[in-house]
């Protein structure tokens, strides 16, 4: 199992540009989460999906952020237009509720986004 | 809703000394509890978890944690730390029923001095 795979690992973009972050969850996991990590705010949950359906997007900062999960093996987080305050590390995580128990999340290595 | 408080933002200790990282949680329902470790420039890695049963949970790298329901705590301990344990440690909680949204604490930076 290759784990949760995120791409790109690093992204530097200019303010106003569109940014797309990608995530491939662990096969068989039915939950997918997008988190943002900054020094000031720590780990913030942006949105999560269950069986490809968005369940809670209350953490998405504003309309510039959108996320999709077209199938069980792929999700994207898009920022359009990007702003310097969006600079952060974005993590994707997946998990399974097999048998009704939570086994915790498996995190990807993250995408470090810098908006200049 | 659940919340987590990690009582120390930074903990410096000497190599081979014992360490305890403190975590308190708040919840109106039964919970699952987790500790994650984040090494520099990496994602979060699960150290250990409490789901049910024995309140003393053993994890990877010699860490253990004890669930104390009356004190709503889940402190992480290691009897003897190594330089390689230098990292950020996160406590997290989720409700047993319903959505499995994990709520994380702010993290504790553990620094091991030689």
């Amino acid at each position: 199992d290759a784990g949760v795979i995120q791409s790109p690992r690093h992204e530097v973009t200019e303010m106003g540009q569109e940014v797309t972050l990608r995530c491939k969850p662990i096969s068989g996991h039915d939950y997918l989460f997008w988190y943002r990590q900054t020094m000031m705010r720590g780990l913030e949950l942006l949105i999560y999906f269950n069986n490809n359906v968005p369940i809670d997007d209350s953490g998405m900062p504003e309309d510039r952020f959108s996320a999709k999960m077209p199938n069980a093996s792929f999700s994207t987080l898009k920022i359009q237009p990007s702003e310097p305050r969006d600079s952060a590390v974005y993590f994707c995580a997946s998990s399974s509720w097999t048998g009704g128990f939570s086994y915790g999340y498996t995190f990807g290595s993250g995408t470090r986004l810098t908006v200049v | 809703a659940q919340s987590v408080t990690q009582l120390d933002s930074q903990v410096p200790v000497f190599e081979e000394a014992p360490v305890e990282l403190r975590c308190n949680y708040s919840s109106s329902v039964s919970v699952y509890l987790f500790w994650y470790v984040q090494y520099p420039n990496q994602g979060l890695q699960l150290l250990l978890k409490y789901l049910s049963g024995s309140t003393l949970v053993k994890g990877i790298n010699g860490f253990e944690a004890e669930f104390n329901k009356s004190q709503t705590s889940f402190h992480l301990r290691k009897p003897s730390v190594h330089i390689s344990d230098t990292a950020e440690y996160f406590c997290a909680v989720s409700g047993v029923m319903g959505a499995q949204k994990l709520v994380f604490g702010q993290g504790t930076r553990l620094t091991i001095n030689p």
Side-chain angles (χ1 to χ4, degrees), chain B residues 36-65:
Chain B
Y36 283 83
V37 60
Q38 184 179 30
Y39 299 105
N41 300 314
Q42 294 187 26
L44 279 73
Q45 179 183 356
L46 182 65
L47 265 181
L48 50 77
K49 58 183 181 287
Y50 171 80
L51 303 180
S52 64
S54 173
T55 57
L56 183 62
V57 179
K58 294 189 183 298
I60 62 172
N61 301 340
F63 284 93
E64 63 181 31

Side-chain angles (χ1 to χ4, degrees), chain A residues 49-63:
Chain A
F49 296 83
N50 178 217
N51 293 322
N52 314 335
V53 176
I55 302 300
D56 184 351
D57 65 354
S58 60
M60 297 286 260
E62 46 198 280
D63 292 345

